[in-house]
Amino acid sequence: MNRGLYLAAVALVGAVWCIGGCENPYLYTGIQKEQVAALTVSPAGGTVFTDQVEVVLATQTEGARIRYTTDGVTMPGPDSAVYDEPIVLTETTTIIARGYKDELMPTPAVTLKYIREAVGQAAAPTFSPEARGFGDTLEVTLSTATAGATIYYTTDGSTPDADSEEYDSAILLNATTTISAIAMLDGMSDSEVATATYTLNELDDVADPTFDPAGGPFRESVSVALGCATDGAAIRYTLDGSDPNASSAEYAEAIELTATTTIKAAAFKDGMNPSDIVSQTYTRNDIEQAETPEITPVLTDFTDTVEVTMSVETLDTVIRYTLDGSDPGEASTEYTAPITLSATTTIKARAFLEGADPSEVASRTYTKLAIPEYEFVLTWGSRGEGLEPADGEFGIIEDVTLGPDEDEIYVTDALTSRIQVFDPQGTFLRKWGAVGEGPGQFVTAWGIAVDSTSQVYVADGGNKRVQKFSSTGSFLDQWREFGGDPGVFATPTGVDIDSEGNIYVADQGGMIHKFDSQMQFVTQWGGKGAAEGEFDMPGNMAFDSAGNVYVPDRNNHRVQKFSSDGEFLAAWGTEGSAAEQFNEPSAAAVDSEGRVYVVDSKNHRVQVFAASGVYLTSFGTEGDGDGEFDDPESIAIDSDDILYITDSGNARVQKFRVAR
């Protein structure tokens, strides 16, 4: 019998005979004769609770599972929740439960209802203003002391309930009206019904009280005078947040405040409607000097536009700013919304807070970067045959560097294990090296660097060493285990020299090793990984005028920036082919303007960034024409910003210059 058909038949028979919800229907091949022991429950269904209740379920059948639902409708089945600890209920809930075990009939379902009893009573709504007469119109607000409660109200004399209008904003009255209101909250009994009647009359309104000075921050103390334009009116006020009425304290003289206070006031006069309640808040400010504004973004380089924001944490603080380089004062422009800049601009900002000295001046200059363009100059080189191709031919071209006078171009060939030297026009000058393990021989000649005395350093990756030569190729020295441990190489692939003569070696083991000009170990950093400061195959490095180190992190598809001592400063890039994305970046270089060039090998291009990591432009596409690339590997830049790029897949060097 076909195996697939057999298994399907077994499954079908099992499903047919799995009566009552089997845990595993494929185990059943006949009628079940035994049943899971009945469930025991504590506390019993029908229990009334006030806060919460824990329901414990059990069965005497060893290995049985109890499954349950809590919606009061669904019968528990094999996919329902498994009981493994007491069920905690905080609301009225109906539990349906059943016990299951393979090869046994499930228990009958038990239905258990647990009832939460309402606790306490919601606070009755209050009215502001309280019931009174009014002229023309009046706004009435409702509130309750019970947090989360919903207020329902009527204006037709009926008793409010949950079907009445829900209160969500002030009620505008223009006729005599009785408002009835009730507060409701789940778990509590409804409040008492509160009622207030507001009578429209033909009386004039008393003018609203005035405050001098107006509310706001103050230092140490403030004297507040109240006034009313209605002759003979009495001003009543409170200082505790409650609404004033005709029985509140009467204003007679200026109110002296020494702490944060809200004054509420209303004016009253016989034969007239009282004024509206007016309030002002006076905030004591013990801050001696306003907080200095924060200007963002911190990254100040941009290419098109940048949106600048300013902020302080202290309330009631006013930020004023300038864009002309002058220090802001109280008459300067007030900051109210983000500022969009489209040109290089210095923003200065200062904060002002009543009762405090102005802040220090914050300043940030945003620099609009020019987008450079590049033009092809010339190319040289071609693909050679075997391990000893002709002069000017290459096997697998790798790194490129310049001599101290920039009149010689040094190029490594990983396949033929030799160094070739050219003039800036691509004319062959000399060569050395061969495949082997002896002095002057290489197993994959990768990185190359030349110091200020024309001594040449080559990363001999396959031999796990760095070799040192004269400019003519005479062997001088070699190093295998620098500094002992640390400083030991796994597979050195890149070697670069900063302006101080320090030598940096990039290692496939995920480390950057730093040595002085005498090859004495200084420090190292990194490690295999993808976290900040870690690497997965670091490439040829570059240095800016401040001594910062830019390291292409090839298999992590990013560039990392460090101080000369290895302190992590920044990183940018993700895997991809869009601008600011990389596919195996292999080398970096920095020009006289501080622009950072990254050879984006598998995207067949060079991307250009500001030192901050802001993307500027890119050049190059896949191909074999002038200005096109096939897996470029390395780059060198002279003092005139002439670029030399090794085009590995095309076995050549290409030369470019900045067009503008």
Side-chain angles (χ1 to χ4, degrees):
M1 183 179 184
N2 181 278
R3 179 177 175 82
L5 293 176
Y6 174 76
L7 293 175
V10 170
L12 179 61
V13 171
V16 170
W17 290 102
C18 181
I19 302 172
C22 309
E23 291 283 317
N24 184 357
Y26 297 103
L27 298 178
Y28 293 84
T29 57
I31 298 175
Q32 302 166 2
K33 297 181 179 180
E34 298 185 13
Q35 189 175 50
V36 177
L39 302 183
T40 59
V41 183
S42 179
T47 296
V48 178
F49 65 97
T50 57
D51 184 24
Q52 66 177 36
V53 64
E54 290 189 355
V55 181
V56 178
L57 305 176
T59 176
Q60 294 184 351
T61 300
E62 185 177 353
R65 292 190 176 196
I66 301 172
R67 295 186 180 269
Y68 69 96
T69 61
T70 58
D71 62 2
V73 176
T74 306
M75 293 293 292
D79 296 327
S80 300
V82 176
Y83 173 85
D84 55 9
E85 60 183 12
I87 305 167
V88 179
L89 305 178
T90 59
E91 302 292 341
T92 297
T93 305
T94 298
I95 297 174
I96 303 177
R98 205 171 188 186
Y100 292 86
K101 186 176 181 182
D102 290 344
E103 300 180 355
L104 298 179
M105 292 289 289
T107 67
V110 295
T111 301
L112 313 158
K113 186 173 184 178
Y114 298 88
I115 303 163
R116 177 166 180 173
E117 185 178 56
V119 179
Q121 185 179 35
T126 58
F127 301 81
S128 180
E130 298 176 349
R132 59 173 238 192
F134 68 98
D136 295 330
T137 61
L138 180 69
E139 283 191 348
V140 179
T141 59
L142 309 181
S143 61
T144 175
T146 301
T150 301
I151 299 174
Y152 299 91
Y153 71 95
T154 62
T155 57
D156 60 2
S158 62
T159 300
D161 56 27
D163 294 325
S164 301
E165 185 78 16
E166 182 179 339
Y167 175 79
D168 58 5
S169 61
I171 305 167
L172 180 64
L173 305 181
N174 55 19
T176 297
T177 305
T178 296
I179 302 176
S180 298
I182 192 170
M184 299 181 181
L185 181 65
D186 289 343
M188 301 184 76
S189 57
D190 299 343
S191 76
E192 300 292 336
V193 176
T195 301
T197 299
Y198 298 86
T199 304
L200 178 68
N201 55 48
E202 302 300 325
L203 299 177
D204 293 332
D205 294 334
V206 177
D208 292 342
T210 59
F211 296 75
D212 185 23
F218 67 94
R219 293 284 299 276
E220 296 182 355
S221 67
V222 64
S223 182
V224 183
L226 306 182
C228 181
T230 302
D231 289 339
I235 303 173
R236 304 277 180 175
Y237 70 95
T238 63
L239 304 178
D240 60 1
S242 63
D243 289 343
N245 54 42
S247 300
S248 300
E250 184 175 355
Y251 173 78
E253 60 184 6
I255 304 167
E256 299 293 330
L257 303 178
T258 59
T260 296
T261 306
T262 296
I263 302 177
K264 290 187 174 182
F268 300 83
K269 185 177 181 180
D270 290 342
M272 299 181 71
N273 293 315
S275 74
D276 289 333
I277 296 172
V278 185
S279 69
Q280 294 283 295
T281 298
Y282 299 84
T283 304
R284 175 159 176 163
N285 173 26
D286 291 326
I287 301 173
E288 295 184 359
Q289 185 178 34
E291 173 190 357
T292 303
E294 180 181 358
I295 304 175
T296 56
V298 176
L299 183 62
T300 58
D301 293 338
F302 68 99
T303 57
D304 184 19
T305 62
V306 61
E307 188 174 86
V308 180
T309 62
M310 291 173 273
S311 64
V312 294
E313 293 185 358
T314 306
L315 296 176
D316 301 316
T317 301
V318 176
I319 301 174
R320 298 187 180 276
Y321 70 94
T322 62
L323 303 177
D324 60 2
S326 63
D327 289 345
E330 295 190 43
S332 300
T333 305
E334 181 179 351
Y335 173 79
T336 58
I339 305 164
T340 300
L341 303 179
S342 58
T344 296
T345 306
T346 296
I347 292 183
K348 291 188 174 183
R350 173 177 275 171
F352 298 83
L353 179 63
E354 188 172 340
D357 295 331
S359 74
E360 300 292 334
V361 175
S363 179
R364 198 175 298 281
T365 298
Y366 291 90
T367 304
K368 186 169 185 176
L369 303 173
I371 307 294
E373 294 181 356
Y374 300 88
E375 62 182 15
F376 171 81
V377 177
L378 60 86
T379 184
W380 72 85
S382 60
R383 181 90 49 203
E385 299 292 334
L387 297 180
E388 295 184 3
D391 296 343
E393 295 182 340
F394 301 101
I396 301 177
I397 191 170
E398 285 287 341
D399 199 10
V400 58
T401 195
L402 307 176
D405 297 327
E406 301 182 344
D407 57 352
E408 294 187 334
I409 316 300
Y410 295 75
V411 182
T412 61
D413 190 329
L415 179 64
T416 65
S417 293
R418 65 180 183 173
I419 313 300
Q420 295 192 75
V421 186
F422 305 85
D423 70 12
Q425 303 307 311
T427 302
F428 174 83
L429 300 177
R430 60 186 178 278
K431 65 183 178 182
W432 73 88
V435 177
E437 300 178 356
Q441 298 179 325
F442 308 98
V443 177
T444 58
W446 265 321
I448 188 169
V450 183
D451 67 16
S452 60
T453 64
S454 297
Q455 293 180 327
V456 183
Y457 300 79
V458 181
D460 183 10
N463 287 318
K464 303 183 184 300
R465 65 184 175 180
V466 172
Q467 296 192 68
K468 182 179 179 181
F469 302 88
S470 71
S471 61
T472 58
S474 297
F475 175 81
L476 300 177
D477 208 346
Q478 66 177 347
W479 298 269
R480 294 181 180 272
E481 296 185 356
F482 294 83
D485 180 30
V488 176
F489 296 143
T491 302
T493 56
V495 58
D496 296 278
I497 301 174
D498 67 16
S499 61
E500 302 297 321
N502 297 301
I503 302 166
Y504 298 74
V505 179
D507 196 330
Q508 281 191 3
M511 301 298 295
I512 302 297
H513 308 269
K514 180 180 179 179
F515 307 89
D516 64 18
S517 59
Q518 303 304 310
M519 290 304 291
Q520 297 300 307
F521 177 79
V522 176
T523 188
Q524 65 183 23
W525 68 88
K528 191 79 168 180
E532 291 181 351
E534 297 179 337
F535 305 100
D536 188 354
M537 197 169 181
N540 293 315
M541 296 157 281
F543 311 93
D544 64 20
S545 59
N548 298 312
V549 188
Y550 300 84
V551 185
D553 188 4
R554 187 164 190 146
N555 292 335
N556 286 322
H557 311 287
R558 65 185 178 182
V559 175
Q560 297 194 72
K561 180 179 179 180
F562 302 87
S563 71
S564 60
D565 295 327
E567 177 188 0
F568 174 84
L569 300 177
W572 64 87
T574 58
E575 185 175 7
S577 58
E580 304 178 71
Q581 295 182 321
F582 300 110
N583 189 354
E584 298 189 16
S586 56
V590 177
D591 69 11
S592 64
E593 299 293 325
R595 293 180 291 241
V596 181
Y597 297 73
V598 181
V599 178
D600 190 5
S601 180
K602 299 302 181 183
N603 283 324
H604 315 289
R605 66 186 178 184
V606 176
Q607 295 196 69
V608 189
F609 301 85
S612 59
V614 171
Y615 173 81
L616 299 177
T617 189
S618 68
F619 61 94
T621 58
E622 186 175 9
D624 58 7
D626 293 343
E628 298 176 337
F629 300 108
D630 183 1
D631 291 352
E633 278 296 320
S634 191
I635 182 171
I637 303 177
D638 70 13
S639 56
D640 294 324
D641 294 337
I642 301 298
L643 287 63
Y644 299 87
I645 300 169
T646 57
D647 185 9
S648 183
N650 290 317
R652 64 184 179 178
V653 177
Q654 294 200 69
K655 182 177 177 180
F656 298 81
R657 63 169 168 248
V658 180
R660 69 171 178 88

